[in-house]
Amino acid sequence: MQVQPYLMFEGRCEEAVEFYRKPLGAEVTRLMRFKESPDPGMCAPGTLDKVMHMSFRIGDTTLLASDGRCTGQPNFQGFSLALHVADDAEAERLFASLADGGKVQMPLAKTFFSSLFGMVADRFGVPWMIVVAP
C-alpha cells in the first residue's frame, strides 16, 4: 500500500510544478489534460488545456496534482509537506526558495529535534516544513 499527496492547484498546476523544478528538482512523469478526456462533457469551458492529472517526482517521492475545478483559488489546509534535508545550508536554500512569494509561518531556527526547522507556505499556499535530518 502507498499513500501519495494529491494537490489541487485550481488552475495553477503547471506554474507550480515549474516553480518546484529549480529548487526541488521536480520532474513531471505523467501529464494528462482535460482535452484528452474521452468525455468532453466533463470539461468546463476554457479548461481544455488545463491539467486533469499530473504525477511528478521530488527526490524519491511521487506527488499527484491537478488543476481541479480551475477556480483560481487553491486551498491547502490541514497538512504540510515535510522536506527532510541533509544539512543546514540545504535547509536555508530550500526555505528561501519556497518562501519567495510565499509566507513564512515559522522562521528557520534551531530546535530540540533539529539543527534547523522552519515552516513556510509557498506562493501557491502549499504548506512546507523544512527539517534537517538528525
Side-chain angles (χ1 to χ4, degrees):
M1 182 183 310
Q2 189 177 50
V3 176
Q4 292 176 294
Y6 204 116
L7 306 172
M8 299 290 189
F9 287 98
E10 294 301 321
R12 299 182 71 191
C13 189
E14 285 186 285
E15 179 187 354
V17 172
E18 188 58 36
F19 174 74
Y20 301 143
R21 187 178 311 277
K22 185 174 180 184
L24 302 173
E27 178 186 349
V28 174
T29 56
R30 185 160 190 207
L31 174 62
M32 294 170 39
R33 299 189 185 282
F34 282 105
K35 67 184 172 187
E36 297 173 59
S37 170
D39 180 8
M42 72 175 281
C43 304
T47 65
L48 292 178
D49 287 324
K50 292 294 185 178
V51 176
M52 181 171 64
H53 173 75
M54 175 189 287
S55 61
F56 65 100
R57 296 188 59 73
I58 295 176
D60 295 329
T61 303
T62 298
L63 296 99
L64 307 175
S66 175
D67 277 319
R69 298 186 180 275
C70 302
T71 65
Q73 299 176 355
N75 185 17
F76 299 104
Q77 295 182 335
F79 74 96
S80 290
L81 299 178
L83 282 175
H84 295 265
V85 300
D87 56 50
D88 290 0
E90 186 178 16
E92 290 170 354
R93 180 184 68 79
L94 292 175
F95 192 86
S97 293
L98 292 170
D100 181 20
K103 183 177 179 182
V104 173
Q105 298 167 324
M106 179 181 163
L108 278 175
K110 181 174 176 49
T111 67
F112 69 93
F113 57 86
S114 177
S115 61
L116 279 181
F117 173 81
M119 297 169 59
V120 61
D122 67 27
R123 64 179 65 178
F124 305 98
V126 176
W128 296 86
M129 295 187 303
I130 312 296
V131 59
V132 176

